[in-house]
Amino acid sequence: MIELIPAIDIINGQCVRLTKGDYDQKKVYNDDPAAVAKEFEQLGFRRLHIVDLDGAKSKHIVNDAVLRSITTETKLTVDFGGGIKTEEDIEKAFEAGASMVTVGSIAVTKPALFIQWLDKYGADKMILGADVRNGMISINGWKEDSKEELLPFLKKYIDAGVKNVLCTEISKDGTLQGPAVTLYKEVMKAYPQLHLIASGGVSQKEDIEELEREGIPAVVFGKAIYEGRIDLKELLK
């Protein structure tokens, strides 16, 4: 059974979605992310993915108060990412109630520091963020492309103990054009032991069913929910 993880992206304390990570293509869906999280919990979801888009842009956590309101008002298991550049950011996220943090850019720019965090906090609390554009890892809120290719990048950190990877195909994100199934199959073929979380492009229930058929362990999706393209009660059946 594929793990279903709804997403809440935050700018200025509001629940928003971008298209392909473009801050100029922002759409606000709700002024109260905690209310959205409560709806997810009432429907039967157990897990939530939160992205602090202000944090990703500012290179430090910004919306920890929103995170705290969600973890205080729900029992959802929350993974939190966006702007985690220091140990202080990690501690802030955990203090605000996150169960896991997603770290991407630091794994590219400061690999030794990422491995230090992995050793300190453990593989169950650290999710490696692998945001991909044209086969290369992108960093700093998707504003810069690195010289890291996806599969060697993943291998380096799987060898270091990483178990959880959130992989977003940037060209698909927020487009509602279907997920990058071929990419995820390639990752799972190379590293079948990985708990891979597919992200980007989900537009309908059939997309999630396809990912499940292909053996993808988990999926994050957001825009399809907010645009009313997926009946969540039907999906959770």
Side-chain angles (χ1 to χ4, degrees), residues 52 54-65 67-68 79-106 110 113 117 120-121 125-126 140:
D52 181 352
D54 293 313
K57 207 173 189 178
S58 306
K59 301 187 181 180
H60 62 85
I61 286 182
V62 174
N63 286 291
D64 50 305
L67 169 61
R68 182 174 277 105
D79 71 81
F80 182 87
I84 294 177
K85 306 293 186 192
T86 64
E87 201 160 309
E88 184 185 356
D89 289 319
I90 294 178
E91 294 291 347
K92 193 180 275 190
F94 287 144
E95 282 166 18
S99 298
M100 292 162 271
V101 292
T102 301
V103 179
S105 300
I106 289 295
K110 297 179 180 176
L113 180 59
W117 292 349
K120 178 171 180 176
Y121 296 102
K125 285 187 165 287
M126 300 288 292
N140 294 328

Side-chain angles (χ1 to χ4, degrees), residues 87 90 111-126 157-162:
E87 201 160 309
I90 294 178
L113 180 59
F114 178 79
I115 289 172
Q116 188 181 314
W117 292 349
L118 186 64
D119 291 341
K120 178 171 180 176
Y121 296 102
D124 292 331
K125 285 187 165 287
M126 300 288 292
Y157 288 115
I158 290 168
D159 290 348
V162 160

